[in-house]
Amino acid sequence: MAMGEHAVCSDRFVDGADSLLIERFVLQEDQLKRMNQWQVVGGDGSYVLSPMVVPTSDGVAVVYAAEQKKDWNIYAVRCGPEGPDDPIAITASPGVDTDPAAAWHDGQLWVTWESNRDGCRQVFANRLHGNSIQDPKPVSPEGISSYDPTIT
């Protein structure tokens, strides 16, 4: 977003389903004025948790956890003044991947999250460069439950 612009992301429960919205605001005379609103995901069978907005070099990125076909994964979506791109899956493994956190560094989105893919809650990390995803790496000790990651 440009100077004086702000992105707000929220998970809203509408008509029995979650809806992930990104809104763009500008500061005008000490008031925030909504300029745009976009639905990233939503509708029947949509479940979303823990959206987080991260500033990037050309807008923002939003990371979130979403359930599809009874499997929770982590997604990222970039958004500029014209609206969001298509979401990109950061994870696609069996298990429950939730509680994402993210940071932008050197043109890459770094993402951490917690997962039970190996039976015990563990923190993983990955990076998104363009649309390219690396293999996720565990960053917490195996066999010791680890939760609620953050990243800078």
Side-chain angles (χ1 to χ4, degrees):
M1 302 285 144
M3 207 52 157
E5 294 185 2
H6 302 279
V8 174
C9 184
S10 60
D11 180 9
R12 298 186 184 167
F13 193 72
V14 179
D15 297 327
D18 286 345
S19 182
L20 181 67
L21 298 176
I22 299 175
E23 298 171 279
R24 183 173 72 98
F25 291 86
V26 296
L27 187 59
Q28 290 183 345
E29 299 175 8
D30 294 329
Q31 299 291 318
L32 285 176
K33 179 181 178 187
R34 180 182 293 113
M35 302 302 290
N36 303 91
Q37 176 179 298
W38 304 279
Q39 180 175 305
V40 177
V41 295
D44 191 36
S46 293
Y47 302 99
V48 177
L49 288 173
S50 310
M52 178 184 185
V53 178
V54 178
T56 67
S57 56
D58 59 353
V60 298
V62 174
V63 294
Y64 60 95
E67 182 186 32
Q68 293 183 341
K69 299 178 184 170
K70 305 209 181 280
D71 190 30
W72 283 91
N73 285 301
I74 305 300
Y75 296 87
V77 61
R78 289 189 185 94
C79 186
E82 302 305 314
D85 295 341
D86 291 331
I88 298 169
I90 302 296
T91 65
S93 66
V96 177
D97 296 334
T98 62
D99 297 309
W104 184 258
H105 181 71
D106 269 348
Q108 299 177 87
L109 183 66
W110 289 84
V111 183
T112 62
W113 66 93
E114 66 180 68
S115 177
N116 70 352
R117 67 182 66 191
D118 296 326
C120 185
R121 298 302 296 173
Q122 208 174 353
V123 173
F124 284 78
N126 204 344
R127 65 187 167 107
L128 175 64
H129 183 75
N131 289 335
S132 176
I133 296 289
Q134 307 299 311
D135 288 332
K137 304 288 188 238
V139 294
S140 64
E142 193 173 322
I144 299 173
S145 289
S146 300
Y147 302 89
D148 297 325
T150 61
I151 188 170
T152 61

